[in-house]
C-alpha cells in the first residue's frame, strides 16, 4: 500500500483512506519488501491502497522492479484517472510498459459518489483493448444502483470484441461495515447461517497475504480491517527482514491458523455453541466482518481463551488434508483418463506458503 491517500472517501473504507489522509510508504521500503518477497518465495506482488496511482512514479518503479524479479504484478485501483478514453489508454499503456500483468477496479454505490462509473467503463475498455486481464469488484448491498449487470451493459463496452471481452471478469462482494455490531441489508441467502455454513471455508488471505501498509506496519492478511485489528499487525517495514519476522510471528498464533483453515464464520459459530448468548446467524455477509467480531467481542474472546485446545486436533487434521494429503492423493477426473500419467505433488512440510492478495476480498 504505497499510500492511504485516496480521491474517494467511501463510508466504511477498509483502510480509512480519504483525500485528507497523507500517510505514505517510502520507495526504498517498497523495493525492499519486493526483494525480500522474492527471497521468501512469494507468488505475486499487488499494489493497492488508498489509491496507489497517486504515487505514480513510485508505482511504476515498483511494478518494473517486481517484473524484473519475475513476479506477476496486480494493481487495485478505483480508476479515477480514466477521465476520458484517451486518458485511460495512456495510463494502461504506461502500466503495461512497466510490466503490469493484471488490473482490478473497485466500484459500486460508495465508489461512484466520487468516481463516476463512466471512468470505470473507460478503464475497462482500455485494459480489454490491450487484452490485459481485468477484474472488477462491485459492491453488494440490497438496493444497489451500481450493479454488475449495469456495468456489463454500459454503452462504452459495446465496441469490445468477444476476444477483448474474454479479458474481463466482473464479480460482486458484500460491502461491509467496519464495526462487527453494525449491519447492512443484503438480499436473502447472502448472510451466513447454520444452513449455509458448510459453504464458508477457510480464509485465503490470513497467512497467505502479507501487506506492507502505508504507515510501514505489516499485516498478516489482505488489508480489510487491518487498521482496526491490532493482532493482525505483526511487524514493521523498518525492522530487519520484516516479512520473515511477520511470517514467523503469524504462524505461531493458533487463532490465525484456525481462521486460515476453518474461516472466521466457523470459529464464530463454534464460540456460539459454547455460549448461546453469542449471536451470529444472518448477520454477516463478509467473512472479514466476522473476523472483526472474533477480535473485538469479549464474550467470543473468552470462549476462545477457555476452549481453544478442544479444536487443535481438528485444525491440524484440516491443515494436513489441505496441505499434504489432498495435493498428493486427490486428482481430477481428467487425470484418471487412459494414457494420462499422474505426477505426485511433493509435500514440503510447510503449512502455508506466501501468496498474493485475493481480489475477491477487495474493499478499498
Amino acid at each position: 500500500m504505497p499510500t492511504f491517500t485516496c480521491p474517494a472517501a467511501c463510508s466504511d473504507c477498509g483502510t480509512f483512506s480519504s483525500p485528507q489522509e497523507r500517510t505514505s510508504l517510502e520507495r526504498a521500503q517498497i523495493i525492499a519488501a519486493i526483494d525480500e518477497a522474492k527471497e521468501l518465495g512469494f507468488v505475486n506482488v499487488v499494489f493497492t491502497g488508498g489509491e496507489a496511482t497517486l504515487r505514480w512514479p513510485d508505482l511504476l518503479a515498483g511494478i518494473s522492479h517486481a517484473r524484473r524479479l519475475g513476479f506477476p504484478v496486480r494493481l487495485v485501483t478505483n480508476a479515477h484517472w480514466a477521465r476520458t478514453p484517451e486518458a485511460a489508454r495512456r495510463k494502461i499503456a504506461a502500466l503495461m510498459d512497466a510490466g503490469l500483468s493484471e488490473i482490478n477496479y473497485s466500484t459500486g454505490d460508495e465508489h461512484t459518489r466520487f468516481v463516476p462509473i463512466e471512468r470505470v467503463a473507460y478503464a475497462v475498455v482500455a485494459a480489454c483493448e490491450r487484452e490485459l486481464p481485468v477484474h472488477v469488484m462491485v459492491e453488494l448491498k440490497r438496493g444497489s444502483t451500481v450493479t454488475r449487470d449495469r456495468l456489463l451493459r454500459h454503452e462504452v463496452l459495446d465496441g469490445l470484441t468477444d476476444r477483448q471481452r474474454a479479458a474481463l471478469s466482473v464479480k460482486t462482494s458484500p460491502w461491509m461495515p467496519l464495526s462487527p455490531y453494525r449491519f447492512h441489508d443484503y438480499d436473502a441467502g447472502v448472510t451466513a447461517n447454520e444452513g449455509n455454513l458448510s459453504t464458508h471455508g477457510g480464509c485465503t488471505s490470513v497467512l497467505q497475504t502479507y501487506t506492507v501498509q502505508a504507515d510501514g506496519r505489516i499485516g498478516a492478511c489482505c488489508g480489510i480491517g487491518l487498521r482496526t485489528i491490532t493482532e493482525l499487525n505483526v511487524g514493521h517495514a523498518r525492522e530487519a527482514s520484516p516479512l520473515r519476522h511477520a511470517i514467523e510471528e503469524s504462524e505461531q498464533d493458533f487463532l490465525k491458523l484456525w481462521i486460515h483453515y476453518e474461516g472466521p464464520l466457523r470459529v464464530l459459530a463454534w464460540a456460539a455453541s459454547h455460549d448461546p448468548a453469542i449471536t451470529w446467524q444472518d448477520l454477516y455477509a463478509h467473512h472479514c466482518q466476522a473476523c472483526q467480531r472474533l477480535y473485538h467481542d469479549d464474550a467470543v474472546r473468552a470462549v476462545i481463551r477457555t476452549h481453544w485446545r478442544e479444536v487443535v486436533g481438528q485444525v491440524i487434521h484440516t491443515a494436513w488434508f489441505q496441505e499434504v494429503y489432498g495435493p498428493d492423493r486427490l486428482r481430477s477426473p481428467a487425470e484418471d483418463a487412459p494414457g494420462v500419467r499422474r505426477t505426485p505433488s511433493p509435500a514440503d512440510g510447510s503449512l502455508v506458503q506466501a501468496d498474493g492478495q485475493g481480489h475477491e476480498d477487495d474493499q478499498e
Side-chain angles (χ1 to χ4, degrees):
M1 293 181 175
T3 183
F4 286 143
T5 307
C6 184
C10 299
S11 301
D12 291 309
C13 172
T15 56
F16 300 122
S17 298
S18 74
Q20 290 72 43
E21 175 65 73
R22 287 290 181 265
T23 308
S24 292
L25 196 64
E26 297 176 4
R27 182 188 293 194
Q29 292 175 318
I30 296 171
I31 299 301
I34 294 170
D35 286 339
E36 189 182 9
K38 181 64 176 180
E39 295 173 8
L40 295 174
F42 277 69
V43 175
N44 64 338
V45 172
V46 180
F47 289 91
T48 183
E51 177 55 45
T53 61
L54 296 178
R55 295 282 303 280
W56 188 245
D58 293 328
L59 173 62
L60 295 182
I63 292 172
S64 297
H65 188 71
R67 287 298 288 165
R68 281 194 297 271
L69 295 179
F71 283 114
V73 186
R74 182 189 311 151
L75 169 65
V76 181
T77 172
N78 61 28
H80 72 102
W81 38 267
R83 296 177 181 274
T84 64
E86 294 73 22
R89 291 185 180 105
R90 286 194 298 269
K91 286 290 188 181
I92 290 296
L95 290 166
M96 292 185 70
D97 287 346
L100 189 71
S101 48
E102 178 186 318
I103 194 162
N104 294 180
Y105 301 127
S106 302
T107 191
D109 282 19
E110 281 295 328
H111 281 81
T112 54
R113 291 166 51 211
F114 308 94
V115 181
I117 194 171
E118 285 74 19
R119 296 191 190 183
V120 179
Y122 293 149
V124 165
V125 169
C128 288
E129 286 176 342
R130 298 285 299 269
E131 298 183 20
L132 174 67
V134 51
H135 300 271
V136 184
M137 189 60 65
V138 182
E139 305 157 18
L140 175 65
K141 286 192 289 188
R142 187 191 296 272
S144 296
T145 60
V146 178
T147 64
R148 178 181 184 273
D149 288 345
R150 179 181 169 188
L151 177 62
L152 288 172
R153 291 196 305 264
H154 199 288
E155 61 183 11
V156 171
L157 275 64
D158 289 347
L160 291 175
T161 66
D162 289 344
R163 177 169 177 168
Q164 290 169 338
R165 279 183 176 268
L168 173 62
S169 170
V170 183
K171 297 181 180 180
T172 59
S173 180
W175 189 257
M176 60 170 239
L178 290 183
S179 166
Y181 308 110
R182 289 192 296 112
F183 309 102
H184 287 321
D185 191 16
Y186 304 102
D187 291 335
V190 174
T191 53
N193 53 51
E194 287 185 351
N196 61 28
L197 187 61
S198 62
T199 66
H200 295 273
C203 177
T204 58
S205 178
V206 169
L207 304 186
Q208 290 290 98
T209 299
Y210 286 85
T211 304
V212 184
Q213 299 164 81
D215 58 8
R217 292 186 301 166
I218 297 177
C221 74
C222 70
I224 301 178
L226 278 180
R227 298 185 76 180
T228 63
I229 302 177
T230 302
E231 294 90 339
L232 291 178
N233 292 281
V234 290
H236 199 282
R238 64 171 173 261
E239 300 170 339
S241 302
L243 289 178
R244 184 181 298 278
H245 170 81
I247 293 169
E248 291 173 351
E249 179 77 15
S250 299
E251 293 184 5
Q252 296 302 312
D253 184 339
F254 179 74
L255 181 55
K256 290 185 179 67
L257 288 166
W258 192 1
I259 291 170
H260 174 73
Y261 288 109
E262 298 284 337
L265 285 162
R266 293 189 182 187
V267 178
L268 189 56
W270 168 88
S273 72
H274 284 278
D275 181 353
I278 296 172
T279 58
W280 65 277
Q281 295 199 66
D282 293 314
L283 298 181
Y284 302 111
H286 200 299
H287 60 205
C288 289
Q289 192 181 13
C291 193
Q292 296 267 5
R293 179 79 177 278
L294 297 184
Y295 282 100
H296 291 308
D297 188 317
D298 288 341
V300 175
R301 292 167 66 96
V303 170
I304 292 172
R305 274 195 304 269
T306 304
H307 298 285
W308 67 272
R309 290 177 179 82
E310 297 174 2
V311 297
V312 170
Q314 172 185 319
V315 173
I316 291 174
H317 182 269
T318 302
W320 168 80
F321 186 88
Q322 291 185 17
E323 304 288 348
V324 180
Y325 182 87
D328 189 47
R329 300 295 180 87
L330 300 182
R331 56 188 184 273
S332 69
E335 291 180 292
D336 286 327
V340 175
R341 180 176 179 273
R342 175 174 172 264
T343 302
S345 302
D348 64 4
S350 61
L351 288 179
V352 297
Q353 290 180 307
D355 199 352
Q357 178 173 318
H359 40 72
E360 67 275 11
D361 289 335
D362 294 336
Q363 177 164 315
E364 285 191 292

